[in-house]
Amino acid sequence: MRRKIRIPIAQPDLTGRENEFVGRCLSSSWISSKGAFITNFEHSFASFIGTRYAVATSNGTVALHLAITALGIGFGDEVLVPDLTFVATANAVTYTGATPVLVDIEKDTWCISPVEMEKKITRRTKAVVVVHLYGRPASMAKIAELAKKYDLKVIEDAAEAHGAEVFVTSHKSLKKRKARKEKEEWRKIGSIGDASCFSFYGNKIITTGEGGMVTTNNKMLAQKMRMLKDHGQDPKRHYYHPVIGFNYRMTNIEAAIGCAQLERIHSFLRKRASIAQTYSKLLQSVAGITPHPRNSDERSVYWMYSILIDKPYPLTRNELMKNLEKDGIESRPFFYPLHTLPPYLLKDTFPESSYLSDHGMNLPTSTSLQDNEIRWIVSRIRRWA
Ligand SMILES: *Cc1c(COP(=O)(O)O)cnc(C)c1O
């Protein structure tokens, strides 16, 4: 018998203007994929991330497929993908006909390892899909260097990282003085790669029910994606389709929910930071529990508050999860390493990814989570320590 869940792993907060905006779609009958909320959502999202363009899609998986296709990647090409991620990252590569090449992750970030990446680069390697796992940014500076050295496209899978930031030093050449000036600044995840993909599934940082977005600064790429997501139709000639496209459009109703969510994203992010801080403080002294590594040049958005369980903590990860479930506390194990899933099975070893997958779990991280609930969750974890 399934016990009643008292504290869910994730729950969307729809208490803003979602109802009002959706009502406007219904009363105006603009419920399909044309309407003011779509352009509004795209513009506001691009401005939030800090890119010139944002192209809305029907979910995060097709956002990835659209971006990779529009970048010209397909049959015969290889695309580097981290071994520890949600399966959609690799599937999107497979849909294009290209081969996902799995790369181990690094201990310091839990994201794709630049060192391991370089070992897997061949003449066929065209791109890397960088996943910012559980909301924590990957090593973007090192990845950008490799991409430059080997002429690789960088696609960010930012499905779990809306609002995450990295501190970067960019070299800006000032045309007038022909001088190079170093500029140090915080940049949003999703503004660094050639194209970046977001998901608005119900448990993500902001939601539209189902939905996705690709952000980019490349005008041609944005235009190509707009065309491809609308059946490959020439925007100037109705029913003229120069290429085979897809129907990957977002609806106005979904975008209406997105607009209402985006109005409150800053408060969502503040709340998540505070939840993470509370968890970290309370779990600090528990031997055998390690939180997501932090660094001064990155800001995670804590899509999930993640921990690793190992000795001397007396329970295994699975035992702890079972006990939390008895208390009505929902938790999730980390993803299976892709190399252990039937479609991507490999005999190679991926030590870091395998370790994290065996020992990692996510604790409830909804924006509606109360301090006393966090204290209760932690007290149930500490009980065994
Ligand atoms: C959620 C997620 C996706 C897929 O997004 P959907 O909107 O569910 O299609 C892709 N990659 C990662 C890392 C995700 O977490």
Side-chain angles (χ1 to χ4, degrees):
M1 203 179 76
R2 209 183 148 80
R3 279 166 203 272
K4 201 165 149 40
I5 291 173
R6 274 187 284 169
I7 306 181
I9 184 93
Q11 204 170 27
D13 176 342
L14 303 169
T15 57
R17 295 208 284 170
E18 287 81 359
N19 216 351
E20 179 196 331
F21 289 177
V22 169
R24 277 194 223 166
C25 297
L26 297 175
S27 56
S28 67
S29 85
W30 287 96
I31 59 168
S32 200
S33 56
K34 280 182 185 155
F37 283 114
I38 295 178
T39 35
N40 199 333
F41 187 39
E42 287 181 335
H43 286 151
S44 324
F45 196 78
S47 124
F48 171 72
I49 296 298
T51 54
R52 287 201 192 96
Y53 311 98
V55 178
T57 60
S58 28
N59 60 61
T61 307
V62 302
L64 283 163
H65 182 214
L66 184 67
I68 300 168
T69 304
L71 283 165
I73 291 156
F75 285 99
D77 297 333
E78 290 177 359
V79 178
L80 305 173
V81 169
D83 186 47
L84 192 68
T85 179
F86 183 55
V87 70
T89 314
N91 287 350
V93 173
T94 307
Y95 301 157
T96 68
T99 307
V101 173
L102 305 181
V103 178
D104 204 358
I105 53 104
E106 58 178 351
K107 230 193 207 127
D108 296 347
T109 62
W110 300 0
C111 298
I112 195 165
S113 156
V115 175
E116 297 302 314
M117 242 178 89
E118 193 162 17
K119 293 182 194 163
K120 301 260 171 134
I121 294 173
T122 71
R123 283 203 334 269
R124 292 164 175 258
T125 312
K126 291 288 159 57
V128 55
V129 186
V130 181
V131 181
H132 307 288
L133 196 73
Y134 302 132
R136 194 224 187 274
S139 298
M140 287 312 288
K142 286 183 200 154
I143 293 165
E145 250 171 58
L146 282 179
K148 204 170 165 196
K149 184 171 167 190
Y150 294 98
D151 192 22
L152 307 180
K153 299 286 184 204
V154 177
I155 299 118
E156 293 183 68
D157 180 344
E160 307 175 351
H162 323 51
E165 291 178 323
V166 282
F167 196 69
V168 292
T169 311
S170 49
H171 300 276
K172 250 194 171 169
S173 54
L174 302 171
K175 274 181 198 151
K176 273 185 197 153
R177 279 175 280 151
K178 287 202 173 145
R180 272 161 66 87
K181 193 184 168 193
E182 268 192 14
K183 196 176 162 202
E184 291 192 316
E185 58 181 351
W186 285 97
R187 290 264 300 271
K188 285 253 170 33
I189 284 307
S191 68
I192 300 164
D194 294 283
S196 304
C197 304
F198 292 85
S199 164
F200 305 118
Y201 183 67
N203 65 5
K204 298 291 161 83
I205 304 276
I206 59 169
T207 185
T208 59
E210 293 277 358
M213 191 79 85
V214 187
T215 53
T216 182
N217 284 316
N218 182 330
K219 188 177 183 180
M220 297 273 283
L221 187 69
Q223 282 172 345
K224 195 167 172 190
M225 290 193 291
R226 284 197 189 289
M227 184 190 196
L228 284 173
K229 79 163 196 181
D230 189 21
H231 299 287
Q233 179 172 255
D234 186 331
K236 295 191 188 92
R237 281 164 86 184
H238 245 122
Y239 302 125
Y240 185 73
H241 306 264
V243 292
I244 297 178
F246 320 103
N247 177 356
Y248 284 172
R249 299 174 308 226
M250 176 183 272
T251 69
N252 201 39
I253 298 177
E254 289 165 331
I257 299 171
C259 286
Q261 289 270 293
L262 202 52
E263 287 183 339
R264 293 190 303 147
I265 194 164
H266 293 288
S267 81
F268 289 170
L269 294 175
R270 272 196 302 276
K271 186 66 206 289
R272 280 178 183 278
S274 129
I275 289 170
Q277 210 177 6
T278 308
Y279 267 128
S280 294
K281 205 172 69 196
L282 297 173
L283 283 168
Q284 207 171 33
S285 54
V286 187
I289 292 190
T290 315
H292 213 151
R294 288 236 45 190
N295 208 328
S296 59
D297 62 2
E298 55 86 16
R299 290 178 185 149
S300 172
V301 283
Y302 300 98
W303 175 51
M304 295 279 171
Y305 187 79
S306 317
I307 50 174
L308 302 179
I309 311 288
D310 205 348
K311 290 190 178 68
Y313 190 80
L315 304 188
T316 64
R317 189 268 315 270
N318 289 351
E319 288 165 351
L320 176 60
M321 284 185 58
K322 241 179 232 148
N323 277 292
L324 290 180
E325 197 191 331
K326 283 184 200 151
D327 290 325
I329 300 163
E330 193 181 17
S331 62
R332 287 279 160 81
F334 276 14
F335 301 121
Y336 284 99
L338 293 181
H339 80 275
T340 66
L341 300 179
Y344 300 110
L345 210 56
L346 286 175
K347 286 213 181 75
D348 308 17
T349 58
F350 296 80
E352 299 296 345
S353 153
S354 299
Y355 179 84
L356 286 191
S357 176
D358 287 344
H359 295 268
M361 63 183 277
N362 291 316
L363 296 172
T365 326
S366 307
T367 46
S368 56
L369 198 64
Q370 301 296 311
D371 264 7
N372 60 352
E373 292 177 310
I374 301 176
R375 275 196 293 275
W376 152 255
I377 295 165
V378 172
S379 75
R380 302 320 282 169
I381 296 172
R382 293 189 83 112
R383 181 163 62 130
W384 309 97

